[in-house]
Amino acid sequence: MLLNHWFSLPMSIGFWLMNFLFLLTAIPYLGTISTIGTIGVITTTSVSFNIFGVYFTSPFGNVWFDLLVGSVLLGLGIAVLLTQRFSNGGIGFAALAISRQRHADPGKTLLWMNGCIFILTACVIDWMIIIQALLCQWISTSIVSWLYSASFPTKPLYVWRGRKGG
């Protein structure tokens, strides 16, 4: 948002550029495959910004309902990405790295990091957008924390049985 505000750079391009540059430094930690996967995720997100911003409008017309649904979907998506060692971008990677180093909850780490960025953005642009963004982050990172720390059964639903001895 800040790049868009200061330089009129489309948000999708600013999002992709900042995350791409940040992820170049992440290759030693994430590995090449995870970094490429994460770059794929941020590219998909950037393209989605443009597609949904131009071609779709909310069928509900209520920003608070949209915020709730979007936050839940965002939290589910980030949790899936983190469990697969991908991230939703540079800040997601940094939150995962810090949480592993300090043995902290990745959702809470992500909330604090994004919170600092949002406060800076609020001072420069508009507080109402940031209040909505903070609420979105709180909901989505709560879902990330809950899913990331949840214990799911690892036993397959159906077990193949082979014959012994032959």
Side-chain angles (χ1 to χ4, degrees), residues 110-157:
L110 185 62
L111 176 64
W112 282 104
M113 293 176 74
N114 279 325
C116 292
I117 293 168
F118 292 158
I119 290 171
L120 172 64
T121 305
C123 292
V124 173
I125 300 176
D126 183 18
W127 278 98
M128 182 48 92
I129 293 171
I130 302 312
I131 290 169
Q132 293 168 346
L134 285 171
L135 181 59
C136 174
Q137 281 299 301
W138 178 75
I139 293 168
S140 64
T141 54
S142 295
I143 291 171
V144 170
S145 296
W146 177 67
L147 289 174
Y148 195 81
S149 63
S151 299
F152 295 102
T154 56
K155 184 178 179 182
L157 295 175

Side-chain angles (χ1 to χ4, degrees), residues 23 26-27 29-41 81-82 84-87 93 96 100:
L23 283 168
I27 292 173
Y29 176 77
L30 287 177
T32 305
I33 299 299
S34 290
T35 302
I36 290 170
T38 301
I39 289 171
V41 168
L81 290 171
L82 291 177
Q84 300 302 310
R85 292 193 41 88
F86 292 161
S87 81
F93 155 72
L96 185 59
R100 286 189 178 167

Side-chain angles (χ1 to χ4, degrees), residues 50-126:
N50 280 337
I51 291 172
F52 285 100
V54 172
Y55 298 109
F56 293 94
T57 59
S58 171
F60 306 108
N62 183 320
V63 70
W64 297 105
F65 183 76
D66 293 346
L67 184 130
L68 177 64
V69 172
S71 300
V72 169
L73 293 174
L74 177 64
L76 290 170
I78 292 171
V80 168
L81 290 171
L82 291 177
T83 60
Q84 300 302 310
R85 292 193 41 88
F86 292 161
S87 81
N88 60 317
I91 294 298
F93 155 72
L96 185 59
I98 290 169
S99 68
R100 286 189 178 167
Q101 182 181 18
R102 296 184 182 237
H103 304 290
D105 183 327
K108 288 180 183 173
T109 305
L110 185 62
L111 176 64
W112 282 104
M113 293 176 74
N114 279 325
C116 292
I117 293 168
F118 292 158
I119 290 171
L120 172 64
T121 305
C123 292
V124 173
I125 300 176
D126 183 18

